[in-house]
Amino acid sequence: MLINLMNRRDDLCGLCAFAVNNESMKADLKGMSLAETQAWVEENELPAYRARQLRHWVFKARVGGFDEMTNVPKGLRALLAEKARLKHLEEIKKEISRDGTTKYLFRLEDGHCIETVLIPERGHFTLCVSSQAGCAMNCLFCLTGKQGFKRNLTSAEIVDQVVQTRRGMDDPERLTNLVLMGMGEPLANYDAVLKALNNIIAEEGMNFSHRTVTLSTCGLVPQIRRLGKDTKVNLAVSLNAADEETRSYLMPVNRTYPLVELIPALQSFPLPNKRMITFEYILIKGINDGDEDARKLVSLLKRLRAKINLIPLNPHLGLGLEAPPPERILQFQEILVRNHFTAIIRKSKGQDISAACGQLSGGTAGRR
Ligand code: SAH
């Protein structure tokens, strides 16, 4: 214990020297929970109501700086400028697809880039949010994996994708749905993702309904078990194959957490009334698109409250894999439907700007 403390002190000493003129040591309001904001307010001898007031400005009013906090007295705004920060992602590119899908390229403070995709649906928008710069999972079909893992995003960087996108919208309230399905594996960045989700669904935070927020995972079993206890957001699982051999070929994570462990973890995942787990299944010609594959999928998922999203593979350069022809996709769907599954063929939006599933690369800008 003593040794630990001493080590910590050493670390802190190093950091303090650094802190003198380092912005990153200031309290980052967008990355703090309600309890942390309340503690910060108390430390600075401010009245308790300031915590919720600050969070209102940050998450609901989406201010760009402390000066915009018009009901906060000037003295407090000066204190905030000195001791806190309102970091925001730098939008360096925005591309709009023929179908209205918008892809944002954001630069992080250290120069890494991430992508966020705004998808128009009937009457509302869905935002596809990234959780890591790059990804370590190395799925065969995914472009993000090809660039390798850069780093985890902070909870502020995850939340800020929503804040910055909303700031650019004519009617920000029409962005009602979020999917953590962009770059990265959210459950490999568990703590930051959970903290971001809590600020996203908190009534005094961004106030999204947990029913309209979905986290998609490649299947990290221990974290799936934790997630069910920690939050009520929807769960999606990228399945992509119904037997161990094919799944391990497509998704190396299956060698660590095979289907034989994943499926029981999903069976014990707590689901609110009428809620289902979404299974994403990319259809790849000649690999996982046969009638036999569909029947294996039926048998694998038979004891789960499952709905299945069939995603014809989105191609990218040098992949060497193809989507099946339309009649094969329909036949695959037919087998699932005949066995009483809800199975939807997802037309990927934003293909012309490489904004579709598996096409996010963090741009060509890379590191500065
Ligand atoms: N790591 C998380 C979220 C990021 S991947 C996960 O695995 O779920 C988001 C979705 O894009 C996954 O369902 C994945 O299977 C899908 N995807 C990846 N590459 C794709 C491609 N080339 N075509 C279609 N979907 C793809």
Side-chain angles (χ1 to χ4, degrees):
M1 182 63 186
L2 190 60
I3 295 173
N4 271 343
L5 273 177
M6 285 178 71
N7 282 342
R8 264 201 70 126
R9 279 200 55 170
D10 279 355
D11 285 354
L12 288 175
C13 290
L15 289 175
C16 288
F18 192 51
V20 177
N21 50 17
N22 193 307
E23 277 285 298
S24 65
M25 296 303 291
K26 293 181 175 180
D28 184 352
L29 296 181
K30 225 174 270 165
M32 287 158 62
S33 63
L34 173 62
E36 285 168 341
T37 314
Q38 284 166 332
W40 187 85
V41 156
E42 204 182 314
E43 255 167 53
N44 285 282
E45 294 168 4
L46 300 167
Y49 72 87
R50 292 285 185 210
R52 281 170 191 268
Q53 186 182 40
L54 290 174
R55 282 171 66 83
H56 174 89
W57 282 115
V58 172
F59 294 117
K60 293 216 170 67
R62 301 177 288 275
V63 290
F66 299 121
D67 282 350
E68 293 172 39
M69 298 181 167
T70 45
N71 65 353
V72 172
K74 275 222 168 92
L76 176 51
R77 280 190 243 164
L79 178 92
L80 285 164
E82 185 196 327
K83 294 197 167 177
R85 64 197 305 238
L86 254 188
K87 198 166 71 157
H88 56 84
L89 299 168
E90 186 191 351
E91 182 188 309
I92 56 174
K93 197 165 160 195
K94 179 174 166 181
E95 288 172 273
I96 304 177
S97 153
R98 280 191 294 273
D99 62 29
T101 301
T102 306
K103 183 168 80 167
Y104 298 88
L105 180 65
F106 291 117
R107 179 150 49 208
L108 312 176
E109 254 182 340
D110 58 3
H112 288 304
C113 288
I114 55 159
E115 291 177 324
T116 307
V117 182
L118 182 64
I119 306 155
E121 319 260 14
R122 259 179 246 139
H124 71 273
F125 287 86
T126 296
L127 191 69
C128 180
V129 173
S130 292
S131 57
Q132 298 180 314
C135 185
M137 297 299 138
N138 205 17
C139 298
L140 187 72
F141 42 76
C142 176
L143 192 58
T144 308
K146 304 285 175 240
Q147 63 174 270
F149 175 67
K150 305 285 176 11
R151 72 163 169 87
N152 280 330
L153 300 190
T154 63
S155 70
E157 288 164 341
I158 296 168
V159 169
D160 202 30
Q161 295 170 61
V162 189
V163 173
Q164 295 310 322
T165 306
R166 273 190 157 171
R167 272 170 68 85
M169 292 174 72
D170 294 336
D171 184 0
E173 299 311 314
R174 285 178 65 207
L175 170 50
T176 52
N177 292 44
L178 300 182
V179 289
L180 261 97
M181 240 180 238
M183 297 170 70
E185 168 48 46
L187 294 187
N189 183 16
Y190 193 90
D191 293 342
V193 163
L194 185 67
K195 199 170 189 190
L197 284 174
N198 284 339
N199 279 336
I200 283 166
I201 61 178
E203 192 271 325
E204 45 68 51
M206 297 195 89
N207 199 20
F208 277 79
S209 161
H210 58 81
R211 288 179 204 87
T212 63
V213 177
T214 301
L215 180 149
S216 176
T217 177
C218 64
L220 301 184
V221 168
Q223 290 92 324
I224 289 175
R225 293 193 185 277
R226 272 177 79 186
L227 190 75
K229 300 194 184 98
D230 287 345
T231 159
K232 283 206 272 187
V233 303
N234 297 297
L235 181 66
V237 177
S238 298
L239 196 63
N240 300 327
D243 66 79
E244 304 284 10
E245 195 187 342
T246 313
R247 193 162 193 270
S248 292
Y249 168 66
L250 293 172
M251 305 176 70
V253 68
N254 197 65
R255 295 173 206 154
T256 312
Y257 301 114
L259 291 170
V260 59
E261 289 176 31
L262 177 61
I263 298 298
L266 297 174
Q267 278 163 347
S268 54
F269 192 82
L271 289 174
N273 252 350
K274 294 194 188 150
R275 189 75 74 80
M276 295 198 184
I277 297 178
T278 301
F279 288 89
E280 294 144 298
Y281 192 102
I282 307 176
L283 283 162
I284 310 174
K285 185 177 173 183
I287 305 244
N288 64 359
D289 63 340
D291 289 356
E292 192 48 37
D293 296 301
R295 284 192 284 269
K296 277 192 225 164
L297 189 55
V298 166
S299 126
L300 187 72
L301 301 185
K302 63 175 180 271
R303 272 193 278 279
L304 281 159
R305 268 156 55 194
K307 67 176 178 207
I308 303 163
N309 282 348
L310 298 172
I311 315 170
L313 178 82
N314 292 313
H316 41 82
L317 222 61
L319 186 61
L321 301 170
E322 283 175 65
E327 58 281 8
R328 178 92 297 272
I329 296 173
L330 289 172
Q331 167 68 11
F332 194 97
Q333 180 190 33
E334 170 61 25
I335 295 174
L336 302 179
V337 172
R338 229 187 295 136
N339 284 279
H340 316 293
F341 281 102
T342 305
I344 295 158
I345 300 171
R346 300 296 298 218
K347 269 213 270 146
S348 282
K349 292 191 172 164
Q351 280 209 18
D352 54 324
I353 55 163
S354 289
C357 296
Q359 295 186 320
L360 301 184
S361 69
T364 47
R367 265 194 95 134
R368 242 200 295 218

